mmCIF file with all atom_site columns, all heavy atoms in Angstrom:
data_model
loop_
_atom_site.group_PDB
_atom_site.id
_atom_site.type_symbol
_atom_site.label_atom_id
_atom_site.label_alt_id
_atom_site.label_comp_id
_atom_site.label_asym_id
_atom_site.label_entity_id
_atom_site.label_seq_id
_atom_site.pdbx_PDB_ins_code
_atom_site.Cartn_x
_atom_site.Cartn_y
_atom_site.Cartn_z
_atom_site.occupancy
_atom_site.B_iso_or_equiv
_atom_site.pdbx_formal_charge
_atom_site.auth_seq_id
_atom_site.auth_comp_id
_atom_site.auth_asym_id
_atom_site.auth_atom_id
_atom_site.pdbx_PDB_model_num
ATOM 1  N N   . LEU A 1 4  ? 2.466  7.153  1.420  1.00 97.00 ? 4  LEU A N   1
ATOM 2  C CA  . LEU A 1 4  ? 2.954  8.507  1.334  1.00 97.00 ? 4  LEU A CA  1
ATOM 3  C C   . LEU A 1 4  ? 3.336  8.817  -0.012 1.00 97.00 ? 4  LEU A C   1
ATOM 4  O O   . LEU A 1 4  ? 4.309  7.991  -0.548 1.00 97.00 ? 4  LEU A O   1
ATOM 5  C CB  . LEU A 1 4  ? 3.982  8.834  2.421  1.00 97.00 ? 4  LEU A CB  1
ATOM 6  C CG  . LEU A 1 4  ? 4.436  10.148 2.364  1.00 97.00 ? 4  LEU A CG  1
ATOM 7  C CD1 . LEU A 1 4  ? 3.482  11.252 2.896  1.00 97.00 ? 4  LEU A CD1 1
ATOM 8  C CD2 . LEU A 1 4  ? 5.793  10.408 3.289  1.00 97.00 ? 4  LEU A CD2 1
ATOM 9  N N   . GLY A 1 5  ? 2.965  9.842  -0.667 1.00 98.00 ? 5  GLY A N   1
ATOM 10 C CA  . GLY A 1 5  ? 3.416  10.312 -2.004 1.00 98.00 ? 5  GLY A CA  1
ATOM 11 C C   . GLY A 1 5  ? 4.134  11.648 -1.876 1.00 98.00 ? 5  GLY A C   1
ATOM 12 O O   . GLY A 1 5  ? 3.446  12.555 -1.408 1.00 98.00 ? 5  GLY A O   1
ATOM 13 N N   . VAL A 1 6  ? 5.330  11.766 -2.193 1.00 98.00 ? 6  VAL A N   1
ATOM 14 C CA  . VAL A 1 6  ? 6.145  12.949 -2.174 1.00 98.00 ? 6  VAL A CA  1
ATOM 15 C C   . VAL A 1 6  ? 6.328  13.604 -3.607 1.00 98.00 ? 6  VAL A C   1
ATOM 16 O O   . VAL A 1 6  ? 6.703  12.876 -4.394 1.00 98.00 ? 6  VAL A O   1
ATOM 17 C CB  . VAL A 1 6  ? 7.551  12.721 -1.439 1.00 98.00 ? 6  VAL A CB  1
ATOM 18 C CG1 . VAL A 1 6  ? 8.189  13.947 -1.309 1.00 98.00 ? 6  VAL A CG1 1
ATOM 19 C CG2 . VAL A 1 6  ? 7.378  12.055 -0.094 1.00 98.00 ? 6  VAL A CG2 1
ATOM 20 N N   . CYS A 1 76 ? -2.978 6.782  -3.197 1.00 96.00 ? 76 CYS A N   1
ATOM 21 C CA  . CYS A 1 76 ? -2.104 7.187  -1.990 1.00 96.00 ? 76 CYS A CA  1
ATOM 22 C C   . CYS A 1 76 ? -2.793 7.888  -0.933 1.00 96.00 ? 76 CYS A C   1
ATOM 23 O O   . CYS A 1 76 ? -3.826 8.539  -1.315 1.00 96.00 ? 76 CYS A O   1
ATOM 24 C CB  . CYS A 1 76 ? -0.975 8.212  -2.746 1.00 96.00 ? 76 CYS A CB  1
ATOM 25 S SG  . CYS A 1 76 ? 0.234  8.814  -1.620 1.00 96.00 ? 76 CYS A SG  1
ATOM 26 N N   . GLN A 1 78 ? -1.596 9.929  1.694  1.00 98.00 ? 78 GLN A N   1
ATOM 27 C CA  . GLN A 1 78 ? -1.095 11.195 2.263  1.00 98.00 ? 78 GLN A CA  1
ATOM 28 C C   . GLN A 1 78 ? -0.078 11.828 1.188  1.00 98.00 ? 78 GLN A C   1
ATOM 29 O O   . GLN A 1 78 ? 0.687  11.087 0.547  1.00 98.00 ? 78 GLN A O   1
ATOM 30 C CB  . GLN A 1 78 ? -0.509 11.083 3.548  1.00 98.00 ? 78 GLN A CB  1
ATOM 31 C CG  . GLN A 1 78 ? -0.207 12.525 4.254  1.00 98.00 ? 78 GLN A CG  1
ATOM 32 C CD  . GLN A 1 78 ? 0.279  12.261 5.672  1.00 98.00 ? 78 GLN A CD  1
ATOM 33 O OE1 . GLN A 1 78 ? 0.893  11.213 5.976  1.00 98.00 ? 78 GLN A OE1 1
ATOM 34 N NE2 . GLN A 1 78 ? 0.023  13.356 6.427  1.00 98.00 ? 78 GLN A NE2 1
ATOM 35 N N   . TYR A 1 80 ? 2.919  14.977 0.270  1.00 98.00 ? 80 TYR A N   1
ATOM 36 C CA  . TYR A 1 80 ? 3.954  15.692 0.886  1.00 98.00 ? 80 TYR A CA  1
ATOM 37 C C   . TYR A 1 80 ? 4.559  16.589 -0.361 1.00 98.00 ? 80 TYR A C   1
ATOM 38 O O   . TYR A 1 80 ? 5.130  16.036 -1.240 1.00 98.00 ? 80 TYR A O   1
ATOM 39 C CB  . TYR A 1 80 ? 5.045  14.730 1.552  1.00 98.00 ? 80 TYR A CB  1
ATOM 40 C CG  . TYR A 1 80 ? 5.918  15.190 2.399  1.00 98.00 ? 80 TYR A CG  1
ATOM 41 C CD1 . TYR A 1 80 ? 6.198  14.659 3.669  1.00 98.00 ? 80 TYR A CD1 1
ATOM 42 C CD2 . TYR A 1 80 ? 6.915  16.419 2.114  1.00 98.00 ? 80 TYR A CD2 1
ATOM 43 C CE1 . TYR A 1 80 ? 7.176  15.097 4.476  1.00 98.00 ? 80 TYR A CE1 1
ATOM 44 C CE2 . TYR A 1 80 ? 7.890  16.832 2.963  1.00 98.00 ? 80 TYR A CE2 1
ATOM 45 C CZ  . TYR A 1 80 ? 8.039  16.215 4.206  1.00 98.00 ? 80 TYR A CZ  1
ATOM 46 O OH  . TYR A 1 80 ? 8.912  16.598 5.072  1.00 98.00 ? 80 TYR A OH  1
#
Side-chain angles (χ1 to χ4, degrees):
L4 183 66
V6 181
C76 184
Q78 188 173 28
Y80 193 132

